[in-house]
Amino acid sequence: MALVVEDATLLARAAAGDDRAFAAIYEAHRRPMFRLAYGILLDADEARDAVQEAFLRLHRAAPSWEPRAAVRTWLHRVVLNHCLSLRQRLVRMIFAPPPERETRDSPETKALAREAVVAVERSLETLPMKQRAVVCLHLEEELDPSEIAPLVGMTPNATRVTLHRALTKLRSDLSIEEKPS
Amino acid sequence: MTLRDRVKETLAAREPTEREAARDLDAVLARARPRRRVRPQWAIAFATAAAVVALYIFFPRPKPPPAEAVHLYVHVSGEPEENALTLDLGTKGSM
């Protein structure tokens, strides 16, 4: 609740033209939003675009922000909508080149870590986008299926089933043996 | 390493650098600033033109008053100016 109040205070200042207040909100939320967007899109540039779009909308919503609304949940929703929207998917399908699977820096010492990253990405890539969204919200943001359901527009039961399928596929692909949570 | 750890590690590995993140924030703030829709000089010119049209419509130029008399000035060329005649003819009704 304290975070919500703090975000609302910062947004009120941002609405009054305080760019430093908005930068503080950006800094607090940009990483989780990027990870979510990247987990769905599997393209760093597109994920950055999605994050920019979400924060732009947040800035525009700042003057009429409801103080009790959670910025994090609001941003989740906007990022998800952006990543999963049919229009965006069509644009990507038509114009986007195939995503790069190499890391930005590629020293040999990081070869193993890089391979591990690429393996997870390849496995995520085999999942439908909505499953990726559900699995990222669960694994990265640590949300329960009941919290994920309204964000992705599914019932809690359908979300549980989707999540279970996605986790089973990932564990199988990555040869990870652990009890389902 | 759990699946959660591996996914978290993967997603974190692709995060933009601090410099890229700062550039993205600058781009957001630049796009968020209100755009000037009309240049001031164009707005002033448009307002002036509108005011002139409004004045012309609501305050038309006064028509000259109807003539009430005819003044004749008769001067024979070559004659001195003092010999000229001035005739004032009154009228009844509108001309």
Side-chain angles (χ1 to χ4, degrees):
Chain A
M1 192 62 191
L3 274 178
V4 170
V5 173
E6 194 180 325
D7 280 344
T9 310
L10 288 170
L11 269 183
R13 282 170 49 197
D18 185 347
D19 286 351
R20 289 173 70 184
F22 190 77
I25 298 178
Y26 175 78
E27 197 50 41
H29 298 287
R30 72 175 173 88
R31 286 189 178 87
M33 293 310 132
F34 173 84
R35 291 174 194 174
L36 174 61
Y38 184 76
I40 300 168
L41 301 169
L42 295 172
D43 182 286
D45 290 336
E46 286 183 20
R48 281 173 66 191
D49 285 347
V51 173
Q52 274 193 38
E53 189 62 33
F55 278 98
L56 178 64
R57 290 192 191 184
L58 180 66
H59 197 288
R60 286 177 180 161
S64 55
W65 189 257
E66 163 63 44
R68 280 178 297 177
V71 168
R72 182 83 158 240
T73 310
W74 192 94
L75 285 170
H76 277 149
R77 209 180 290 269
V78 177
V79 168
L80 284 167
N81 284 344
H82 184 88
C83 294
L84 299 174
S85 79
L86 184 62
R87 192 176 68 86
Q88 289 298 326
R89 286 157 74 176
L90 281 173
V91 167
R92 280 194 292 273
M93 199 187 298
I94 296 167
F95 298 109
E100 288 279 328
R101 284 285 165 264
E102 283 302 306
T103 47
R104 194 177 296 112
D105 50 346
S106 52
E108 288 180 14
T109 49
K110 290 185 178 175
L112 277 176
R114 195 168 66 236
E115 275 176 26
V117 165
V118 172
V120 174
E121 286 174 343
R122 287 209 174 116
S123 182
L124 281 170
E125 209 170 15
T126 62
L127 301 177
M129 284 184 106
K130 212 157 195 175
Q131 277 193 22
R132 279 186 234 158
V134 170
V135 88
C136 287
L137 285 165
H138 178 67
L139 294 177
E140 172 61 39
E141 289 291 281
E142 306 193 6
L143 298 183
D144 294 333
S146 58
E147 294 170 300
I148 296 169
L151 292 172
V152 291
M154 295 164 75
T155 64
N157 272 343
T159 309
R160 273 185 205 99
V161 172
T162 303
L163 179 61
H164 177 76
R165 281 186 188 147
L167 293 176
T168 305
K169 175 80 168 63
L170 289 177
R171 285 193 190 102
S172 161
D173 287 352
L174 301 169
S175 308
I176 294 173
E177 288 180 17
E178 62 184 16
K179 284 183 184 174
S181 55
Chain B
M1 203 178 208
T2 65
L3 177 61
R4 172 164 281 150
D5 293 335
R6 286 198 62 180
V7 169
K8 281 190 173 202
E9 188 185 76
T10 299
L11 302 182
R14 305 298 189 183
E15 272 181 16
T17 61
E18 293 296 319
R19 186 177 289 185
E20 286 169 337
R23 255 202 325 258
D24 289 350
L25 174 62
D26 287 344
V28 169
L29 290 173
R31 286 172 68 193
R33 283 186 194 106
R35 275 177 275 169
R36 288 194 311 175
R37 287 187 189 124
V38 180
R39 290 184 177 187
Q41 61 266 36
W42 285 109
I44 291 166
F46 180 78
T48 309
V52 168
V53 170
L55 281 173
Y56 191 78
I57 291 169
F58 293 109
F59 302 99
R61 280 194 298 173
K63 291 177 184 168
E68 291 174 351
V70 174
H71 309 282
L72 292 177
Y73 176 72
V74 182
H75 173 238
V76 179
S77 59
E79 288 291 318
E81 198 68 35
E82 306 87 70
N83 295 342
L85 292 173
T86 302
L87 298 172
D88 292 330
L89 304 175
T91 62
K92 285 184 178 173
S94 62
M95 287 187 70

